[in-house]
Amino acid sequence: MKSIGFIVNPIAGMGGRVGLKGTDGLAEEARQRGALPLAPARGQKGLIPLRNFESELQIFTPAKEMGEAEAKREGFAPTVIGRHTTGETGAADTRYAAKEMVQQGVELILFAGGDGTARDIYSAIGEKVPVIGIPAGVKIHSPVFAQTAQKAGELAKLFLAGQLHHFDLAEVLDIDEEAYRNGQVKTRLHGYLNVPVERLRMQNRKSGTPLTEKVSQNSIALDIIDNMAKGVMYLVGPGSTTRPIMENLGLPCTLLGVDLVMDGQLIAADATEKTILKATKQRNFKIIVTPIGGQGYIFGRGNHQLSHRVLRLAGKENIIVIATREKLIRLRGEPLLVDTGDISVDQMLGGYIRVTTGYKQQMITRVR
Amino acid sequence: MKRIDRSDKVRNGFHQAKWDEPIIFELSRKGERGIQVPRAEEEISARVGDGISAIPTGMKRRVPPLLPEISQPGVLRHFMRLSQETLGADVNIEIGQGTCTVKYSPKINDALARLPGMTALHPSQAEETVQGILEIIYKTDCIMREISGLDSFTFQPGSGSQGILTMASIIEKYFEEKGESEQRNEIITTLFSHPSDSAAPAVKGYKIIHILPDENGYPDFEAFKLAVSEKTAAFIVANPEDTGVYNPRVREFTALVHKKGGLCGYDQANANGLLGVTRAADAGFDMCFFNLHKTFSTPHGCGGPACGATGVTAKLVKYLPGPLVEQRGDKFVLNNTTTYDPVSVGKVRSFLGVAPVVLKAYSWIMSMGAEGLYEVAKVAVLNNNYMYKKLMEIECVDAPYIIGKQRIEQVRYTLEKMTSDTGITTGDIQRRMMDFGMHYWSSHHPFHVAEPMTLEPTETPSKEDLDEYIATLTQVFKEAYENPEIIRSAPNKSVCHRVDDSGVDDPRQWCITWRSYLKKTRPN
């Protein structure tokens, strides 16, 4: 018997159709503007590929439209957990349900929603249990979501069949909706969820098994450390790709922030833009970043501490981009992206850049 | 009497032999012999001794080697059965071997290589006693010079990858002599060049820079400009790349590298589509290598025997591994100048490389003639583009880049549409193709093209062969949509259902000798 959790955020996505750029705290207004729920149908679609598993699958869901109703419509007999809420469902219900599901020992949580929902799940369970997101929100910046509801279900099915052996820590990104409604994009990196990744393993003599993401990240870290110069300050950006650099230096790491390192010592952890500008004054410094999220942003998403002011001071030649080959290939020929809020800095960064992809290995990649 | 209906091209009746044949050591029976050699008569023994006493004690084994002891029919049966448990080139249509061209090798080449005149030779013999094979090696060298426009070839490297490693070693020696080793530590290659083009120079300690394709699939020249600098030791590239796309601007690439003082090495492992069409030297390359076991028809399997013939321009000859074969008057001699010169690479393999392979290649080339080689290129490209056109008509098959233009001798297709429609992957298709006696290869990891399928027909399959392969693929794709379970359960008519490869990444589970197998499986 396999067990999974299934959570639907029934109000996710409602704000989008009526121009609200998000539904956080605005569900009522969205309804008044005539928005219809969208997530329940999307969530239900994600269950379709699991139909043939019914007999050997125990599904835990919150009550009513938060999962129970969708699962029943798809012919499952879910075990309802959590509180029977009346009226508006909210973030607290999502968090409570996810926590409870981990308690029950589910192997996977399938959830339908957007970036806000992913944040709630992350704050409840961290990296404890693998998750797969069914895209149903207005904002889908976090690469924890499958491309479509159908694909999310197929991925879940592969996972339950024991065919997925690789996991990625995928970023949970969310923009500040208040600022976004005022036309500013400020994404924050909130954390990482554990996501199963489909990797083809071919029994083929001419193609060895690809290195795991972790091994590749480690070889990148060693390359970076071997090339660190004395007296130069390194601004280590957020991300699971940059983490092994700090680990190999024996330093604590702020996964979601920027750490300042010089001569093997930690100068400042989780530095703000202000700290960075002060610490790098009159000094040689280099910035180490990795593309954040599924779309390949190197600046302007999830690392706003590395502002256009900092980047202008650094200059393009002092920016070190790191990414595993797999990560770059997943961009499918699309360029790396920058969105610093300053056109001239964006232009300076545009063109081509060397990306370190392993020990003594680089790829030349386009930046736009 | 009814005629047999042969209208369907798909061989639904195929079934592989399955013997579950033990390892030869497991068949060993103490004292069993294939041949009982009669004792020599006393008169003879008295004259020549027992044949063993003359060997110094230090060189004698104390115990005989642990070879399997099996009768002659036992050996014959064992290897016949093993041969039936493979999908060898003499059994099936070898089209799905992308990047690894296995063309049909005329049997006469093997017959020649098996002549006692060849098999009884020893590379340590005095050169006046091996004039025949030296002449053949020298003449093959001259032919390779013609084909490539370069000035001298070595046949020492025993594989394509060793050919690349030889090029990387030459590059290293060249800059060592110029005193630029420290500075020139980068090798540029492209994403769709064979992975060995990165791996071999990486072994030498070079930093590897990959150029991605632009939207048309050509190596991105703008990115290349950023990559080339005073740090560039060399540009090592395949052209056409694994996609079958030929970079027509290649001369601009090599010119830029030369301008910055670097060298250019050409991976011509598969020159099938280019014989008599383009030459390495004309494209601005300082060196190249050919796989005799691909383009020049010498059969290869299980990793050998092979030859990555490596050639260079005149200025690089002094770095070549030695000895090189030269003609002096009507004699052929071994020139060991580079073998012992510390400036050169020295040696990459013992003696002159795999001599019988050179003989087979020479035999094939001489049977084709110069016009024949040009014909090979034309037919290989025609075969590939015929197949390309036919396969692209299938709904779920696509191939990224240069839409509507012809490819050279192979294509990397993508089955992404099929996978997203049905969940059936390229790996599933590979296993299903075995049910029809077909080999199928996807791509090198990591997959840069999603759900890849790489096919390279070469010039040897007939139109019937191509049609059979296409018809089989067509049926399997149809099954993916209509009967996916038959694909998921494949192979259904093969020797092994699925190999447990869970231990592939665990060195503790590797045993490459019988002795280590016994040791690692010993009951405690």
Side-chain angles (χ1 to χ4, degrees):
Chain A
M1 204 62 168
K2 305 247 171 211
S3 68
I4 66 165
F6 176 64
I7 302 175
V8 175
N9 171 0
I11 61 163
M14 280 173 66
R17 305 240 173 129
V18 291
L20 285 174
K21 304 190 169 61
T23 326
D24 297 7
L26 291 166
E28 195 42 48
E29 180 162 345
R31 261 188 218 100
Q32 280 173 9
R33 290 192 185 190
L36 294 170
L38 161 123
R42 285 273 174 87
Q44 202 177 316
K45 232 187 206 158
L47 288 178
I48 294 172
L50 296 174
R51 273 186 194 157
N52 6 357
F53 260 107
E54 279 161 41
S55 55
E56 45 196 302
L57 196 60
Q58 188 180 16
I59 298 194
F60 290 95
T61 67
K64 297 180 191 160
E65 287 302 304
M66 280 193 72
E68 179 195 7
E70 292 86 347
K72 279 185 174 159
R73 283 199 292 267
E74 219 40 69
F76 292 92
T79 310
V80 177
I81 53 165
R83 305 160 294 188
H84 280 264
T85 50
T86 43
E88 202 64 70
T89 60
D93 299 302
T94 304
R95 288 198 291 266
Y96 179 85
K99 268 203 182 96
E100 197 57 32
M101 286 168 182
V102 174
Q103 288 288 325
Q104 296 285 354
V106 298
E107 292 167 63
L108 174 82
I109 294 177
L110 191 61
F111 73 92
D115 287 334
T117 321
R119 266 173 73 181
D120 296 332
I121 303 255
Y122 166 73
S123 67
I125 67 160
E127 297 166 21
K128 279 183 200 148
V129 169
V131 307
I132 298 171
I134 298 169
V138 181
K139 302 159 295 153
I140 306 283
H141 295 100
S142 311
V144 301
F145 293 96
Q147 283 164 312
T148 63
Q150 162 102 0
K151 281 189 178 167
E154 280 165 8
L155 211 58
K157 186 176 157 188
L158 285 174
F159 175 79
L160 293 169
Q163 288 178 18
L164 297 180
H165 306 282
H166 291 280
F167 294 90
D168 253 358
L169 284 180
E171 295 96 343
V172 177
L173 298 164
D174 199 2
I175 55 172
D176 179 335
E177 289 190 9
E178 195 52 46
Y180 189 40
R181 286 187 199 106
N182 299 328
Q184 290 172 292
V185 179
K186 277 195 196 162
T187 22
R188 279 204 45 206
L189 178 57
H190 291 272
Y192 287 86
L193 282 166
N194 212 344
V195 182
V197 194
E198 192 177 2
R199 269 253 186 82
L200 285 173
R201 296 202 55 211
M202 306 278 305
Q203 296 159 6
N204 191 315
R205 197 180 53 77
K206 285 196 96 166
S207 55
T209 318
L211 295 174
T212 63
E213 201 82 350
K214 186 78 200 153
V215 171
S216 310
Q217 288 171 353
N218 219 28
S219 82
I220 293 170
L222 296 177
D223 180 277
I224 298 294
I225 292 167
D226 283 6
N227 288 302
M228 279 185 167
K230 271 201 166 49
V232 176
M233 183 171 289
Y234 291 87
L235 282 48
V236 183
S240 59
T241 312
T242 53
R243 181 160 54 175
I245 298 175
M246 301 302 278
E247 283 171 355
N248 281 292
L249 287 168
L251 299 173
C253 164
T254 315
L255 191 56
L256 309 182
V258 177
D259 295 324
L260 275 47
V261 175
M262 195 165 79
D263 298 329
Q265 302 297 318
L266 183 68
I267 306 298
D270 199 6
T272 59
E273 183 199 8
K274 207 164 147 189
T275 312
I276 292 170
L277 287 169
K278 204 169 142 190
T280 54
K281 232 186 190 117
Q282 317 290 324
R283 182 185 291 294
N284 284 336
F285 71 99
K286 288 180 188 286
I287 298 172
I288 304 169
V289 284
T290 188
I292 297 271
Q295 306 116 323
Y297 276 96
I298 46 175
F299 294 111
R301 296 283 183 280
N303 56 8
H304 54 279
Q305 309 88 318
L306 299 169
S307 66
H308 56 84
R309 283 176 284 272
V310 175
L311 295 170
R312 196 190 302 278
L313 280 172
K316 192 174 177 177
E317 65 282 3
N318 289 313
I319 291 168
I320 302 169
V321 182
I322 64 175
T324 61
R325 282 178 73 170
E326 297 262 326
K327 198 169 177 180
L328 289 180
I329 290 158
R330 282 204 289 268
L331 295 175
R332 315 201 59 158
E334 290 300 310
L336 296 170
L337 303 170
V338 291
D339 179 15
T340 63
D342 181 307
I343 290 171
S344 66
V345 171
D346 287 359
Q347 278 170 344
M348 167 189 94
L349 296 171
Y352 288 86
I353 200 158
R354 289 178 174 228
V355 179
T356 299
T357 54
Y359 194 81
K360 287 194 174 181
Q361 289 190 36
Q362 294 183 335
M363 255 183 205
I364 311 269
T365 315
R366 267 187 314 140
V367 181
R368 194 176 63 217
Chain B
M1 177 82 193
K2 223 173 103 187
R3 280 242 176 127
I4 300 167
D5 179 8
R6 297 281 188 207
S7 56
D8 187 1
K9 286 207 175 298
V10 182
R11 280 175 212 257
N12 287 298
F14 172 82
H15 201 300
Q16 219 176 332
K18 176 173 180 165
W19 293 98
D20 196 14
E21 184 66 4
I23 293 165
I24 195 157
F25 285 94
E26 295 175 295
L27 297 169
S28 182
R29 301 279 172 276
K30 206 160 179 48
E32 208 169 271
R33 287 289 176 275
I35 305 170
Q36 296 283 13
V37 184
R39 270 183 197 289
E41 288 151 23
E42 270 178 44
E43 203 182 334
I44 294 168
S45 311
R47 286 263 183 114
V48 298
D50 59 3
I52 290 181
S53 315
I55 299 169
T57 317
M59 292 176 74
K60 267 190 224 170
R61 285 175 168 272
R62 285 184 196 81
V63 285
L66 292 169
L67 295 171
E69 301 170 77
I70 312 180
S71 69
Q72 202 170 67
V75 174
L76 189 66
R77 264 202 306 263
H78 173 72
F79 286 106
M80 282 305 278
R81 289 172 179 183
L82 285 185
S83 76
Q84 292 179 356
E85 287 194 290
T86 67
L87 282 178
D90 287 353
V91 178
N92 71 343
I93 299 172
E94 279 282 15
I95 284 174
Q97 264 281 43
T99 85
C100 199
T101 327
V102 179
K103 61 178 63 177
Y104 177 73
S105 264
K107 296 301 167 204
I108 181 72
N109 306 337
D110 278 289
L112 292 171
R114 276 199 299 266
L115 290 174
M118 180 73 239
T119 55
L121 291 182
H122 193 284
S124 295
Q125 280 176 238
E127 56 190 49
E128 58 272 17
T129 67
V130 288
Q131 284 294 300
I133 189 66
L134 291 187
E135 180 176 352
I136 283 170
I137 290 172
Y138 177 75
K139 285 184 168 166
T140 310
D141 177 2
C142 293
I143 292 164
M144 295 290 150
R145 296 177 201 178
E146 281 293 318
I147 292 170
S148 64
L150 298 168
D151 298 307
S152 183
F153 273 77
T154 171
F155 297 99
Q156 245 178 48
S159 70
S161 294
Q162 206 179 13
I164 305 166
L165 193 65
T166 304
M167 295 203 301
S169 304
I170 290 168
I171 292 158
E172 181 185 47
K173 285 290 178 184
Y174 173 79
F175 288 114
E176 219 167 75
E177 207 194 358
K178 285 177 83 99
E180 295 177 17
S181 307
E182 287 290 308
Q183 167 199 333
R184 297 202 181 258
N185 60 0
E186 293 183 354
I187 298 255
I188 306 169
T189 185
T190 61
L191 196 64
F192 285 117
S193 287
H194 191 285
S196 287
D197 292 322
S198 328
V203 167
K204 307 283 312 176
Y206 282 107
K207 185 176 193 171
I208 309 299
I209 316 242
H210 278 103
I211 304 299
L212 299 164
D214 63 17
E215 54 276 15
N216 297 315
Y218 301 117
D220 188 332
F221 191 57
E222 293 308 310
F224 187 73
K225 282 198 280 200
L226 179 73
V228 182
S229 72
E230 277 65 37
K231 290 181 180 171
T232 307
F235 173 46
I236 298 181
V237 72
N239 193 23
E241 294 172 301
D242 285 0
T243 47
V245 176
Y246 186 87
N247 174 10
R249 294 173 66 186
V250 63
R251 227 182 289 180
E252 293 173 60
F253 283 70
T254 53
L256 187 62
V257 174
H258 287 154
K259 202 172 128 189
K260 296 275 183 184
L263 294 171
C264 298
Y266 193 174
D267 172 345
Q268 290 215 266
N270 300 330
N272 263 341
L274 300 177
L275 295 172
V277 182
T278 65
R279 302 195 313 167
D282 302 338
F285 285 96
D286 306 290
M287 59 193 108
C288 84
F289 76 94
F290 294 111
N291 282 351
L292 299 190
H293 51 279
K294 289 182 184 174
T295 310
F296 297 96
S297 135
T298 72
H300 72 309
C302 307
C307 174
T310 305
V312 295
T313 53
K315 74 168 180 181
L316 298 177
V317 172
K318 62 175 176 174
Y319 307 103
L320 277 177
L324 297 169
V325 181
E326 281 180 11
Q327 185 170 12
R328 289 192 196 145
D330 57 355
K331 286 266 176 293
F332 295 92
V333 295
L334 293 175
N335 178 347
N336 267 306
T337 314
T338 64
T339 320
Y340 304 116
D341 185 350
V343 160
S344 90
V345 166
K347 265 191 170 305
V348 294
R349 198 186 173 89
S350 53
F351 306 109
L352 292 163
V354 190
V357 171
V358 182
L359 169 65
K360 290 179 204 177
Y362 179 74
S363 153
W364 182 76
I365 295 165
M366 293 308 282
S367 71
M368 302 296 286
E371 310 77 19
L373 292 187
Y374 181 46
E375 189 72 15
V376 162
K378 287 195 286 189
V379 178
V381 173
L382 177 66
N383 275 354
N384 183 46
N385 284 285
Y386 169 75
M387 203 160 154
Y388 177 45
K389 189 167 185 314
K390 289 275 181 200
L391 289 175
M392 291 292 274
E393 287 167 5
I394 302 172
E395 180 71 21
C396 65
V397 178
D398 199 0
Y401 313 126
I402 60 166
I403 309 300
K405 289 189 181 167
Q406 71 162 42
R407 310 264 169 152
I408 307 293
E409 84 322 337
Q410 66 179 329
V411 180
R412 182 152 298 157
Y413 300 89
T414 174
L415 302 176
E416 198 178 9
K417 184 176 184 327
M418 179 193 75
T419 305
S420 72
D421 289 348
T422 66
I424 296 290
T425 66
T426 189
D428 296 327
I429 299 291
Q430 178 184 45
R431 286 182 283 271
R432 178 61 178 151
M433 286 297 278
M434 291 176 199
D435 286 342
F436 301 94
M438 298 285 190
H439 182 268
Y440 170 108
W441 188 67
S442 50
S443 163
H444 303 282
H445 269 293
F447 288 173
H448 299 294
V449 170
E451 299 303 328
M453 155 174 97
T454 310
L455 307 176
E456 182 178 29
T458 82
E459 75 283 2
T460 54
S462 63
K463 183 173 174 300
E464 285 69 29
D465 290 346
L466 293 167
D467 288 338
E468 183 183 337
Y469 199 89
I470 293 163
T472 310
L473 267 180
T474 309
Q475 175 172 318
V476 173
F477 294 151
K478 200 163 162 236
E479 285 171 346
Y481 283 86
E482 293 168 9
N483 184 11
E485 274 320 301
I486 199 165
I487 297 188
R488 285 204 181 91
S489 60
N492 308 299
K493 302 176 184 176
S494 197
V495 177
C496 308
H497 183 61
R498 294 279 171 101
V499 176
D500 173 16
D501 66 348
S502 55
V504 161
D505 296 334
D506 178 8
R508 287 167 309 181
Q509 296 187 54
W510 298 349
C511 30
I512 46 178
T513 64
W514 177 245
R515 192 180 299 184
S516 85
Y517 169 72
L518 289 182
K519 212 160 115 187
K520 289 185 177 186
T521 55
R522 189 179 293 147
N524 293 327

